Amino acid sequence: MNTVYSKAAGEPLKKSKSIHLKRFNLSSVSFSLSLIMILVLILCALFPGVIAPYSPFQMNQAVVMSPPSFTHVFGTDQFGRDMFSLIVYGTRQSLMMGLLAVLLGGFTGTVIGLLAGYFGGIIDTIFMRLTDILLTIPNILLAIAISAALGPSLLNIIVAVSFSAVPNYARVIRGQVIAIKSRPYIDASKTIGMPRMKIIMRHVLPNCSSQIIVMAALGIGTSILISTGLSFLGLGVIKEIPDWGYLLSQGRSYITIAWWIVTFPGLVITLLVIAVNILGDELRDRLDPKRTRA
Amino acid sequence: MGRYILNRVGISSLVVLGSMTLIFFLLHILPGDSARLIGGDNVSDERVAELQTQFGLDRPLFEQYLSYITGVLTGNLGTSFIDNQPVLSKIMLHFPATLTLTLFSTLIAIVIGVGLGILSAVYQKSWFDYMVRFVNLFSISMPSFWLGILLILVFSIQLRLLPALGSGTWQQLILPSICLGVIGSGLLARMVRNSVLELKNEHFVLALRAKGLRERSIIYKHVLRNALIPAITVIGILIGELLAGSVVTETVFSRQGIGRLIVDSINQKDIPTIQGTLLIAAVLYILVNLLVDFSYAYIDPRIRKSLVK
Amino acid sequence: MGETMKKKRLLIAIILLLAALLTACADETESSTTLSNKNPISGGEITWALAGTVTEDNLDAHKSGNAQNGRVTRSIYDSLVHETKDGEIEPWLAESWKISEDGKTYTFHLKENVSFTDGTPFDAEAVKFNFDRIKDPATNGTNSMNELGPYESSDVLDKYTVKVNFSKPFAPFLSNAAKSDLGFVSPAAVEKFGEAYPQNPVGTGPFKVKSFTPGTQVVLVKNEDYDWAPDGWGHEGEAYLDKITVQFVPEEATRLGVLQSKQVHAADIVPPQNLVLLRTDPQFNILETELRQINYSMYLNPQKEPWDDLDVRKAVRAALNIESAVEIVYLGTSEQAWSPVTTNMNGYAASVENSWEYNPQLSAHLLEDAGYKKNADGIWAKNGKSLTIDFLDTQGNREKRIDLATVFQNQLKEAGIQLNIVSLSAGEYLERRLAGDYDMIAASQFSGDPDVMRMIFSTKGPNGEENLARANKPELDEWLERGYSTNDEKVRNENYGKAQEYIIENAYSIPTYLFQYSFATVAELKGIEFDSPGFPVFYDAWLQQ
C-alpha cells in the first residue's frame, strides 16, 4: 500500500494543524453514510446496554437458531442468544482491537519514521532496513507467527496486528520528514538554537499529522480484518462477550442451516471497513491539495 | 544498469538474512519446552532429554541460530519436529499448488482489476464508475474467508456448479482463485483508476487534446501506456497479499498448499516447519519485488536513463 | 444408551419408514432403491470427507496417536485379534492364543498365508519386529507404546508361533491388540524406506495406499489378495469397494456442505445441528457409535486453594446444570455423562449415575458454610478473594467444547461463580498444567480399556503426580494398580467400580457429555461398520448403483 501514500509525501501541508471539518462536502452521500455508520458503532461501543434489546448472556433454548424476525432482527445463534444484541455488545471489543492496534502501530511507526527521517545517517539506515525486513513477511503471516509464539490473548493479538503496520507508517513519515527538513523555517529554528526535540515536536510532527490521520483511518479497517482472520484460524481470544471475529468464526459451522449467524457479523465488519475506507479516502483528498478529486 | 541490479540483489540478500533472523528469534521465544511438546502428553523426562539432544534444543540459543543459518545457506531448512521429514521437502510438496493458485488468482486480479480500473476512469462519475468503485470497496473490505464460505454456499452447495474442495483438477481451482483474485482486483482497480485519472490532466494530454485528437484515442494510445507502469509495482505487493491470503483460502477450500502447511504446523507447534514456510514466503516476496523493480526500470525510460547516468 | 435416546431413535425410524412408504407410493422406480434389500455388489469408488488433517507421519500405525488417523489406518492395517462390540475377543491375524497362568506371557498361533501388500509374508518374525519397534523410544509412538504396557520381549517359537512376554500381568493387552495402533507394518517396507516409511505405508489390511498427499488426501485401493477377514465381519475374500479417496476437511461447514450437495459419499463427525436435519433426510444415512474413552470432564485443581476444599468443589458441581448444557449445545444428540469413563467401557459403574444433581440452593449453602459472602458484583468472595475459575484450554471448539464451556460460564455466573476461559498456546498450556498453575482444566482420553484411568487419576501412571486430576490419593492408586494387573474380570470390575465411585464422590472429576462419533453417508453407500474403539471399517461397505 505504501506506494499509494508516498505520492503525497513530497509536499508538506501549510494548514494542517487542524482538520477543517466545515470544508467537507457533506452532500456526498457515501461519506455521510460512512460517518453515520461509524457514529452508530461508537454509540454501540459506549452504551451497548441502551441499544441492545437483550442481554448478550441470555441463552434461550426455545429460540435456538431462529431466523430473523421482529423479535430478533438478526435472528438468534446456536445458544438462542439474540444476534443483534451480541453484535452490539461485541462492538466495543472489536473497535478497541482495531483502534489499539492502530495506535500502537502508528505510534511506533511514527517514532521510527521521525527519528530515521530527521537524524538520517546510520539511524536511518538501521531503521529502514528493519522495516524492509518486516515488510517481507506479509502482514497476516507475521501476525500469525507472533500470536502463535505468544499464545492467544487480547494484548498479543493487538501487538501482532500493530507490528505489521509499523513499516508503512515508518516509511511514509520518514519521507515526509525528509521533505520538511529542507524547509527554511526549520533552518531558522535551528539558527535560533531551538532544541532538536522541540523542532521535531513543534514543526516536524504537526506537518506529518495529516498523513498519520489518513493512514490510521485506513489502518483500522486492515487491523479489524487481520484480527478477524486470526480468529478464523483459531488464534483469537475467547471472551465472555465475543467480538465480531469470534462470532463470525463460530458461526461459519452453521452456514448451511442458519445463514444469519455468519452473515450479519460478516456484514457489519465489511460495512465498518468500507466506512473507514471511505472516510480515509475523503480525509486524504481533503488534506492533500495536490491530489485530484476523484 | 548492471551495477544497479547487483546493488539491489546485494541489499535483498541482506534483507533475506534479516528476515531469517527475525523469524528465528520470534519463534524461539515460544513459552514451553519444545521437546516435551514433541514427545506428547505422557512423555518421560529421559525421553524429553533425548529429544532435546536430537533436535539440538539443549544448546544455547545463539548456537542454535548459527547452525540454523549455516543450514539454510547449504539448503537445509531443518527437520520437522512432528515427522522427522526435511522441511524443504515438505515445502516442495506443497509449493506447486500454492503457486498455481497464486498465479491464477493474480491473472484474475489483473484482468478484472485493470479492466475495471480503466473503464471506471474513462467513464468517470458515470453510474458505471460508481458501481465499480463500490464493488471494489466491498471486495477489499470483506474478510476473505467470509467471501470463501459465501462462494462455497452459493456456487457449490446451492447451485452445485463447482467443486468446493481439494486441489488437482482445474474445476477445483476456480472458486479459490476467484476468492483471492477478487480481493486483489479491488486493490488493483483503485490503483489503475487513480493513475489514469491523474494522467488525464497532465500537460502532455492537455497538449494532445489541444491538437484536436479524439478523447478515445488519447486515452487508449497515450494515457494507458503510461498509466499501467505504476500498476506493475502494485502487482509486487499484490503477490505478497495473495500469498498471505492463501493461508485462509486454502483452509476454507481444503486445498493443498503452503498456507495450509503453515496453519497445520502452527496447530502442531512444529517450529522448524513454521520457520521454513515463513522464510520461503519472505524470499518469494523479495524475489517478486526485485523482479518488479527491474522490469519497472526496464519499462520506464525515465528511470532507465537515470540509472545509466 | 439412555431410554430417551432409544425412544428418539425409534421415533426417527418410524418417520423414516413412513417417508419411505410415501415415496414408494408416489414413485414406482424409487421404491426399488428405497425398500429392496439388494445384495452387496463389488466395485465402486467413494470419497470420504474426513474430519481432521492427516499429516506426513500419521499413516504409520505406531506413530499416529490421534483418533482421526486411526480412522484411516484401520483400513490399511490388521490386528492380531478382533474385538466385537460386546467385548468378545475373536481371532484375526492370530488363529488362537494361550495366556500363561501368571498372566505374563501370551502365545499366539498365527494364520498362515497372510502377506503384506508388498509381498512380505506375515509371520512370527513380523510380530516380533512390530512390537519391538513400538517399544523402541526412537519410534516415538506414545499411544501405541502405552498400549503395550509392561511389554518386555517377543520370542519366535516357530514360523507361525510367537510368545509375547510382559514383566507384569497386563490385562488390557488383548483388547489393545485389537486396535489399529497395534496393527502390523511391513518389516521390509520399514527397512526399505526408513524415515520415509510413514509416507509409504504397507500393511496387511483390506485396502492399500495408492497415493498419499500429506495434509490433503490419501487414496486407498482394494487389496485384491485379502483373504483373512475376522469372522465378525460380513463376508470373506476381498473388500467390495475398489477405491476410497479420503479428503481431509477439518472445516465443519465445508465438510457437511459437500456431503449435502453429494460431492462426497461420506463425512464424519457431523455437528449436532446438521445431525438433527440429516437424520430425517432419506437421502442420507447416519451411523453413530459411542466411543470408548474417558469422557470429556472438568478437573478442578484440588492442590490449589480454594479447590482443595471438597465442599467448594461440590458447590461448583451443584451450580452446573450439565443436562441442560448438553441439551443446548448438542441439541439432543449427546447425553450427560456421569462417570469418568463411557458407559460401554468394561467395569463401568452404573452406581454413579444420578449420584449428584443440579442444585443451586445446595451450591449457595455449601459456599455460605465455607465462609463465602456475595460481593457487589454478585460473585461469592472470601477474604477479599472472589470465587473465580481460570479454565485453561488449548484445543478450541473441537466437539463444541468451547460452546459447552460458554454455557457453563453462564450457569456459574448465575450461581455467583466467575469462569474465565483462558485459551493458551500448547506450550504455555503444558507448562502451566505441569506446574499446577490453574484452577480447572478439561480433557477426554481415548482408549479401549478402563486401565486408561491410571493415566488421569494415578500417581503411578505415565504422568506421575502431574496427572490431570491431581487427586493423588494412595487408595486410588491402589485400586487402579489392582485393576490392570489381573485377568480376573470380576476383580478388575470391582476395583474400577470403587475408583469411579471415589472419584465422583470427591468431585475430582466432573464428567460432561457422552461423545457420539457420527458418520454420515449418502443412502447408496451401505455396509459401513465400526471396530471396537469406534473406528469405521470399510471392508463390508458397498455402493448401490
Side-chain angles (χ1 to χ4, degrees), chain A residues 28-43:
Chain A
S28 157
V29 183
S30 60
F31 178 66
S32 352
L33 282 179
S34 307
L35 259 190
I36 293 172
M37 174 84 192
I38 289 168
L39 282 176
V40 168
L41 287 176
I42 289 174
L43 285 178

Side-chain angles (χ1 to χ4, degrees), chain C residues 322-392:
Chain C
I322 295 172
E323 194 186 357
S324 147
V326 170
E327 171 69 33
I328 290 178
V329 174
Y330 302 101
L331 301 167
T333 59
S334 284
E335 286 192 48
Q336 177 179 2
W338 292 98
S339 160
V341 298
T342 47
T343 52
N344 55 356
M345 189 82 95
N346 287 335
Y348 171 74
S351 55
V352 297
E353 287 178 19
N354 295 306
S355 61
W356 84 86
E357 56 172 1
Y358 167 57
N359 188 343
Q361 287 88 6
L362 174 71
S363 173
H365 197 73
L366 284 169
L367 289 175
E368 262 168 26
D369 285 355
Y372 282 86
K373 286 196 172 53
K374 282 210 174 169
N375 66 14
D377 302 330
I379 303 290
W380 293 101
K382 184 175 162 182
N383 305 331
K385 272 182 76 183
S386 60
L387 199 57
T388 304
I389 304 172
D390 276 343
F391 167 50
L392 305 194

